[in-house]
Amino acid sequence: MSKAVRFALIVGASTAALTAPAVIAAETDEVERIEVTGSRIKRTDVESSSPVQVFTAEEIQQIGFTRVEDILNQLPQVEAAGNSFISNGSSGTATLDLRGLGANRTLVLVNGRRLQPGGIYTQSADVNQIPAAMIKRVEILTGGASTTYGADAVAGVVNFIMKDDFEGFEINAGASGYQHDNDNGYIQGLMDERNFEYPTGSDGIDGEAYNIDVVMGGAFDGGKGHVTAYASWRRNNELLQGQRDYSSCALNASGTACGGSANTPIPTFFIYDENFDTELFWTLDRNGNGFVEDFGERYNYAPINHFMRPDERFTLGAFANYEINDYVRPYLEVSYMNDVTAAQIAESGTFFNEGYVMDFDNELLSDLQKQQIQDGLGIGPDDQFIAYIGKRNVEGGPRMDSLEHNSFRIVMGADGDISDSWFYDASFQYGQTSSSSVYQNDFFGPRINQAIGAVGAEPCTGDCIPYEVFTLNGVTPEAAGQLTGTGVLNGIVTQMIANAYVSGEFDFALPTASTPIAAVVGTEWREIEFERISDEVFEQGLLLGQGGPTESLQGGYDVRELFAEVSVPLIEDVVAVESLILEAGWRWSDYSTSGSDTTYKFAFDWTIFDGYKARASYNRASRAPNVAELFAAQSVGLFDGADPCANNPDTGVPDATLEQCLRTGMTAAQYGNVSASPASQYNQFAGGNPELKPETADTYTIGLVAQPFDSLNFTVDYWNIEMEDVIGTVGAQTIIDSCVENGEFCENINRNQSGSLWIGEEGYVINLSDNVGGRKWEGVDVSANYLQELLGGNFNMTLAGSYSLTKEYQPLAGKPELNYDCSGVVSVQCFAQPEWRHTLSVSYDMDSWWTATARWRYYGSVDYDGETDTLAADGIASQSYFDLVGGFTLGDNYAFRVGVNNVLDKEPPMVGGTLSSNANTVAGFYDTLGRYLFANVTLKF
C-alpha cells in the first residue's frame, strides 16, 4: 500500500480533528474518484490545488452546538455574522462570513449546489435550513471559486455534504444550556453607582435548547435505488441581558459608566426657539415643580433586551437516487424548513424623533413651565417653540419583532456515463423562502401630535387620551396604549438554476506524463427574484423605534453562463517531481443587470515525492450586485458610532477642534452646545444604486501538504485576496472622521438646525452604496494532525490555526491616505480580528466503548484604534477557552455524549458602546454566555 493511501487512512480514521488536512479514507489501492469543492473534475483525493479544510460529522457532534452558525463560528477562518445573539436589527436568519469579507461574499452550497437567499432582510443564505444532524462533512474552500460556481465565491465556499446514503434508522435527542457565575466586580460597581439591579451568583442553567432528529434510509429494488429521509425539531429558549451581570447595563461609549438612553421614563426635552438659536436640554423636576436642567439620568434599556433570541425550527427532507442503467441515474433532493424567532428589545418611546411645534395655549403645560420656556428662550407668550421629546414607554412594555421563515428547496436531475471515461450531470433546482416580520408595540408617530396638543393637530377629544409628558408620572398605560402601532413586512425570494456539464478524461496525455488530460465543459442559467412588501406603517417609517422607513423592495436578475475546466498532468515520475499538474478554469457570465463578466483561474499541484505536495493557485473572482444593493430605497436609518464634534460626556467638550467641526457643517455658535447620542446611534442616509457594477477579486494561494511520518501530517497555506470596485459604502463613521481630520467627504454631512446628527431625522450622514474602493486580505492557515496507537487505543492531536497578516480596507479608490488595516485591531470600523486564532484538540479513543476529547480555543489579543473607549484602551486581551467532551457507546444501538464548553466559565471581553455588537461585547464571536453544557443520546437500528 502506498504512503499516500496510508496517509488517507490515517487522517480518515481521525475522530477528533478540527478541520484536519483535507483527505479521504481509502481501504485499498483502488481509490474512488470524487468531486472536491472548488472543481467539478473528479480526483482520487481531496487535497486539491486550492486549500480545502474538512469538518466532519464527528467533530460537529463533539462541539455540542445544534445551530450551524455556532458550529462554524468555532473555525479560525470564520467571523461572526448573523446569529442568535443579535436582537436589535436582527434578520432572524443565520449567515456565515469567511475571513470577515462579508456574508454576501461567502458562497454556501449543499451537495455542491447553491442555497437560496434567506429572507426579507438578507440576500445571504440562511444556514438554519441545514440540520446539523444531517451533515456528513463540511468542506471549506479558501479564496475565489467563481469559475466553478459563479458569483459570490469571493472569500470562499462553504459546502455542506449531506448524509444522502444513510442506512437504517436513527433517532437522536439532545439538551443543552448555559451556566454562569455572575461575579464581575467592575460592572457591578458601576451599577451600584446608578442603583441598577443585577444578578449575582448562579441561578443554574438557562438559555436551554432541545432537539430531536430522526433519520432513516435504505436501498430498494435490489440496490438500484436508495432513499434517505429526515425530520428534525429544535427549540432554543430566550435569555435576557438582565440574566448576566456584565450585560445588565448598557455601557457608555467609553465603557467607564453605565450609560443608557436619554429617552427616559421621566422624559427629557430638547427645546428650541423657532430659529434654533437657543437650546434647552431639560427634564421634569422630580418634585413636580416644572423643568430642571438635565442632570444625566439615563434609562437602562439593557436588561429587557434579548441576549439570545428564542427560536423554534422544524426541518424535513429526503434524498433519493435510482440507477436505471449506467447511462441514466436520476436523483432528487427535497427539503423544507419552518423557523420562528422573536427579537425583543427595550420599550419604545418618542426618541426625539420629531420637533413638535407648540404654543403657550397648550393645556398640558403648567403655568410655571410656560414661564420657564419663555425665560429660557427669550420669547413671549404669543410665540411658538419647538420641542423634541425623549419619553420611554415603560407603561407599555418592550418592543417585539416576530420573525418567521419558510424555506423550500428541490433539486431534480440525472447523471450517467457517456463512455468509460466521460460522464454527464444535468439538474434543475428551485428554492423559495417566504418570510414575515410583525413588529409590535412600537410608538406610532402620527398619533403623538394630537395626544400632546401640537400646533396643527386635531384636538385631543372624545376617545383620545392626552399624553401628559409634561406632568411628573402623568402618563397612564391607557394613554401609552393608544399610541402604539404594528408594522408588517412580507416577502418571498425565489431562486431557479438549470445546470448541465460533462466531465471526464481524454484518451491521450502529454509525452512527459502518463495520466490523461481531464476536462469539464458546462452551462448554467440562474434567476433570482426578490419581493418584500411593506405595509404603510413600515413604508413611511411611522414607527418611531425603527430609525427610519423600511420600504418595499422588488427586483431580480438572471444570468447565463458558460464554464470550462481542464487538468493537465505536465510531468510525472521524474526526480523531485512525482507529478506536476496544471489546472485552469474559465467562466463567462452575462447578467441582465450589469452585463457580461469573465472569471478564470490557474493552479499548480506538485507532488514532490510520496508524502509531500506543494500547491499554488490564482483565481479571478467576481460578485455581481444583489437585489438589495441595486434596488433598495434610499432612506434615513441608524449607525453605531460617535460624533467628535458633539460634547464628549466624559469631558463636557468636543474631541475635535472648532476649525475641524466647522468643516462638518457645524456653526461656531453650535460648537460646544451639541449633545452626543447617549446610545451612540446617529443617522445616515443610505440605500441602493442601480448603476452598480460587479466587484472583482484576485486571490492567490501557495502552500505545502506534508506527511513526514506515518503518524503526522500537516498543511501550511498562504492566501491573499485583493478586491477592486468593492460594492459597499465609504462608511458613515469614516465620512465623519475623514472630514474632521482631512477635509474629505464633508459635503456628505448634513447637520440639522441645532447641529445634531441624531436628534430628529433632519441631520444625517449621506452614505450610499457604490463601487467605492478595495480590500486587501492576506494570511496563513495551518493545520496538523498526529495519530498514534497508545495503550490499546488511538491518541489523536490536531491543530487548526489562522494568522492574519493584512486586513486592509481601502474606502475610496485613489485615496491611499484613507486606508486602514484591521488585522489585530478593534475599532468603530474594525471587527475584533486577532492576528492569530487556533483550536487545538487532543482525544483518546479506546476503539471499544468510550472516547474523550479536550479542546483549547485561542483568540489572540487585539489592539484598540481609537480614543473614545477607555475600557478597551489597552485593547482586548487574548482569550482562551477549554472544552471537554466524552462519548460512550453501548453495544451496536446506543450511544450518548456529554460535554462542557468553556469549562472555566470565562466571560466575553467587555467593550464600550461604540464597539459592542450587543450586550457590551462582540456577541457570537467570543464565548458570549459563559459555560455551555450539553448531552445527547442516539439510538440506531
Side-chain angles (χ1 to χ4, degrees), residues 610-665:
D610 204 7
Y612 287 84
K613 174 186 288 190
R615 57 191 179 190
S617 68
Y618 163 76
N619 284 266
R620 164 55 67 96
S622 71
R623 186 182 75 85
N626 60 40
V627 173
E629 290 165 333
L630 288 167
F631 305 118
Q634 298 175 356
S635 60
V636 174
L638 298 175
F639 73 95
D640 293 328
D643 180 2
C645 294
N647 290 345
N648 186 320
D650 294 330
T651 63
V653 296
D655 292 332
T657 66
L658 171 61
E659 180 183 0
Q660 290 174 319
C661 292
L662 291 176
R663 300 173 190 162
T664 71

Side-chain angles (χ1 to χ4, degrees), residues 442-470:
D442 204 348
F443 259 17
F444 187 69
R447 297 188 180 131
I448 295 176
N449 282 277
Q450 181 185 23
I452 64 172
V455 172
E458 293 292 327
C460 186
T461 57
D463 293 335
C464 176
I465 304 173
Y467 191 53
E468 300 199 39
V469 290
F470 299 106

Side-chain angles (χ1 to χ4, degrees), residues 297-611:
E297 183 176 276
R298 297 293 176 260
Y299 176 63
N300 183 19
Y301 55 79
I304 203 168
N305 283 2
H306 274 149
F307 205 151
M308 182 175 69
R309 301 191 319 273
D311 182 88
E312 187 166 27
R313 188 200 68 180
F314 297 89
T315 64
L316 55 88
F319 304 91
N321 60 76
Y322 186 81
E323 183 176 359
I324 297 175
N325 52 46
D326 289 343
Y327 308 108
V328 182
R329 294 185 291 265
Y331 55 82
L332 173 71
E333 298 179 11
V334 61
S335 62
Y336 169 77
M337 178 208 72
N338 170 260
D339 183 81
V340 178
T341 186
Q344 176 177 294
I345 61 174
E347 302 92 341
S348 187
T350 52
F351 295 111
F352 307 105
N353 181 266
E354 180 180 346
Y356 302 106
V357 180
M358 309 191 73
D359 59 30
F360 293 103
D361 293 330
N362 193 303
E363 296 179 355
L364 300 186
L365 289 165
S366 69
D367 291 339
L368 174 59
Q369 289 172 329
K370 294 176 182 178
Q371 191 61 52
Q372 286 177 311
I373 294 172
Q374 292 171 26
D375 293 343
L377 297 180
I379 60 178
D382 296 327
D383 293 318
Q384 295 178 334
F385 63 94
I386 298 169
Y388 289 87
I389 303 172
K391 169 70 174 80
R392 182 68 61 166
N393 183 31
V394 293
E395 299 81 8
R399 287 167 282 171
M400 182 74 72
D401 189 6
S402 299
L403 297 151
E404 182 172 0
H405 294 80
N406 290 277
S407 297
F408 173 74
R409 181 175 182 267
I410 184 169
V411 178
M412 300 177 291
D415 61 26
D417 297 336
I418 299 174
S419 66
D420 290 342
S421 55
W422 286 85
F423 74 95
Y424 72 91
D425 187 295
S427 64
F428 176 79
Q429 175 183 329
Y430 178 84
Q432 180 189 97
T433 300
S434 59
S435 49
S436 65
S437 166
V438 180
Y439 210 100
Q440 306 166 69
N441 213 33
D442 204 348
F443 259 17
F444 187 69
R447 297 188 180 131
I448 295 176
N449 282 277
Q450 181 185 23
I452 64 172
V455 172
E458 293 292 327
C460 186
T461 57
D463 293 335
C464 176
I465 304 173
Y467 191 53
E468 300 199 39
V469 290
F470 299 106
T471 300
L472 184 66
N473 299 321
V475 175
T476 65
E478 293 76 16
Q482 72 171 358
L483 299 181
T484 60
T486 298
V488 178
L489 292 172
N490 286 291
I492 187 169
V493 57
T494 60
Q495 174 180 269
M496 290 189 289
I497 302 173
N499 178 284
Y501 64 91
V502 296
S503 178
E505 294 179 342
F506 296 101
D507 57 0
F508 58 86
L510 295 182
T512 51
S514 58
T515 302
I517 296 171
V520 170
V521 178
T523 183
E524 182 170 298
W525 169 83
R526 187 167 67 252
E527 180 183 81
I528 298 284
E529 291 291 339
F530 186 97
E531 180 182 72
R532 180 180 72 203
I533 303 300
S534 302
D535 67 359
E536 184 179 5
V537 174
F538 266 125
E539 190 80 28
Q540 298 186 25
L542 303 181
L543 298 179
L544 300 189
Q546 299 300 301
T550 303
E551 301 185 54
S552 297
L553 173 61
Q554 293 176 287
Y557 62 87
D558 63 79
V559 55
R560 297 170 297 151
E561 298 180 304
L562 300 173
F563 58 89
E565 293 182 67
V566 63
S567 175
V568 183
L570 300 176
I571 304 173
E572 293 180 341
D573 299 324
V574 300
V575 176
V577 184
E578 185 171 302
S579 71
L580 177 63
I581 300 172
L582 167 66
E583 298 175 5
W586 168 87
R587 193 180 193 100
W588 173 80
S589 306
D590 185 20
Y591 289 87
S592 61
T593 51
S594 56
S596 62
D597 187 38
T598 302
T599 58
Y600 43 87
K601 73 171 184 179
F602 299 96
F604 287 96
D605 188 333
W606 173 23
T607 301
I608 305 168
F609 45 82
D610 204 7

Side-chain angles (χ1 to χ4, degrees), residues 809 820-823 825-833 865 915:
Y809 287 84
Y820 56 94
D821 191 348
C822 288
S823 180
V825 172
V826 62
S827 71
V828 173
Q829 299 163 308
C830 296
F831 185 85
Q833 169 69 56
D865 183 11
L915 301 182

